[in-house]
Amino acid sequence: MVLLTDRIDNETPMRNCRIGILAGEGSGPEIVNAARSVLNTIAQTCDLVLRIENGGEIGSNFEDPDGKSLSPEVLDFCGKIFSDGGAIVAGATSGRFVYNMRRHFNLYYKLNPLRSYPELRKVCRVKLPTKPLDILIVRENLQGIYQGRSMEISSADGLKIEHTFVQDARRVRAVLDIAVTAARERRNALAVVSKRSGVPAMHSLWRSCALQLADTTGVELSFLDVDYAAYKLLQEPETLDVIVAPNCFGDILSDLGGVLAGSRGLTFGASYSADGAAVYQTNHGAAFDLAGTDTANPVGQIFSAAMMLRETFGATCKLAS
């Protein structure tokens, strides 16, 4: 499973790759335009036909009096793109857009490749191995704290928040299956992240589901508490291959990947459904302070577009030497 590509193989012609663009806000439109420019150049030189279409506003650019983060226009646009076998490239944005997109289109897992780059090794905040890092985080998208329900409770002691969330064994197994498949295609090592003492029931569920899958596949398992996983990711990243984690834990660990890369501007990933719907994004925010300055780093968005060409449209790719 190659998730980062630098050059498209000219010998693999494709036709009618339908791509929906949601530009985002802040610096989002600028970096999406940079990725779009790269896609257009690839199409001209590699015998691809890309049907690129613009969708509606997302984030704070979409104002809804009911507090919804997705307009009917955007939902209809994405639905049509997905039904035609296409994919969405989404710019950075604020609010609940990403969470509600995942829930609406059942984008139940996310892939976050973590890379390091020799050119940036001397400027990284941490001392990295000489050999470039290649780690994959598989993140559950539809459960946990981010997809829970909150209730405000007023009492004589003041306002209280009650927040509940679900962990469903069926959904956990589905995400673990993706992670196990990825591990078997790589170095056959899978680190399962949870928090044994902090959330014992959730930890037990993920552990038991992972052990069941490992028994039938032979994948080498390790179990890491999320705090130790964060330490290990920065201190001993070369010992990790595929990491699978619940929603919130996977989000935090993926952001640490920006430290390994040397910049959050180089981070990227994609969320997928079982029927092939996919949304490709960076792993960073909208950088409102950089909007309009032409200084926001577009590389993560470009990497996400490269990931899309391979994973959704099946491009045969070669890494540049």
Side-chain angles (χ1 to χ4, degrees):
M1 181 182 292
V2 179
L3 293 167
L4 172 59
T5 56
D6 298 309
R7 187 173 69 238
I8 304 299
D9 187 345
N10 291 351
E11 297 178 359
T12 307
M14 295 184 295
R15 291 292 185 270
N16 294 325
C17 302
R18 190 175 182 186
I19 301 169
I21 300 289
L22 300 175
E25 57 186 328
S27 61
E30 297 169 49
I31 63 174
V32 165
N33 283 340
R36 183 171 185 157
S37 176
V38 171
L39 287 171
N40 286 331
T41 299
I42 290 172
Q44 293 170 12
T45 59
C46 299
D47 197 25
L48 306 182
V49 177
L50 305 182
R51 296 164 54 199
I52 302 178
E53 305 169 39
N54 294 317
E57 299 285 3
I58 56 176
S60 61
N61 289 335
F62 166 63
E63 299 293 340
D64 183 78
D66 297 325
K68 296 179 181 178
S69 65
L70 294 170
S71 68
E73 176 191 1
V74 166
L75 290 175
D76 182 64
F77 173 76
C78 293
K80 289 178 179 177
I81 295 290
F82 294 148
S83 66
D84 196 30
I88 297 293
V89 173
T93 188
S94 58
R96 293 283 302 176
F97 163 74
V98 292
Y99 307 108
N100 292 344
M101 272 285 286
R102 292 164 186 164
R103 187 164 57 205
H104 186 88
F105 291 106
N106 200 29
L107 306 171
Y108 71 100
Y109 71 97
K110 186 177 183 183
L111 299 180
N112 286 120
L114 306 186
R115 302 286 189 264
S116 66
Y117 304 95
E119 298 83 356
L120 299 179
R121 187 167 178 264
K122 292 183 179 180
V123 300
C124 282
R125 296 283 185 171
V126 296
K127 186 177 180 180
L128 296 174
T130 303
K131 183 179 179 180
L133 295 170
D134 175 12
I135 300 168
L136 176 65
I137 293 183
V138 182
R139 169 184 165 189
E140 195 282 320
N141 269 347
L142 299 182
Q143 302 185 102
I145 296 172
Y146 292 169
Q147 297 287 6
R149 297 182 180 276
S150 293
M151 178 184 299
E152 294 185 0
I153 304 172
S154 298
S155 69
D157 297 329
L159 181 66
K160 298 179 181 179
I161 303 295
E162 181 179 291
H163 188 83
T164 60
F165 63 89
V166 172
Q167 290 283 292
D168 184 302
R170 176 180 55 86
R171 290 190 179 275
V172 170
R173 282 193 293 269
V175 173
L176 284 167
D177 187 58
I178 297 296
V180 165
T181 299
R184 294 182 69 186
E185 294 177 358
R186 292 164 56 97
R187 301 197 298 273
N188 208 47
L190 176 62
V192 182
V193 173
S194 187
K195 181 66 175 176
R196 181 175 182 179
S197 58
V199 281
M202 188 172 82
H203 170 82
S204 178
L205 176 63
W206 279 76
R207 180 182 176 86
S208 63
C209 290
L211 288 171
Q212 290 169 9
L213 282 173
D215 283 344
T216 61
T217 60
V219 168
E220 297 178 10
L221 291 182
S222 60
F223 295 92
L224 303 177
D225 281 353
V226 63
D227 44 358
Y228 181 56
Y231 170 84
K232 197 173 181 69
L233 191 59
L234 296 184
Q235 188 70 13
E236 302 172 341
E238 69 278 5
T239 66
L240 298 168
D241 181 23
V242 179
I243 300 169
V244 63
N247 202 342
C248 178
F249 295 164
D251 183 26
I252 294 168
L253 294 176
S254 296
D255 270 2
L256 283 177
V259 179
L260 302 178
S263 168
R264 288 189 74 195
L266 301 176
T267 61
F268 64 102
S271 296
Y272 299 91
S273 73
D275 58 5
V279 177
Y280 293 86
Q281 296 177 278
T282 67
N283 284 355
H284 59 73
F288 289 94
D289 58 322
L290 300 181
T293 66
D294 198 29
T295 58
N297 187 347
V299 174
Q301 195 81 65
I302 293 169
F303 281 170
S304 75
M307 184 179 181
M308 172 189 65
L309 290 178
R310 177 172 179 86
E311 299 302 322
T312 291
F313 299 119
T316 300
C317 304
K318 297 178 181 179
L319 292 175
S321 57

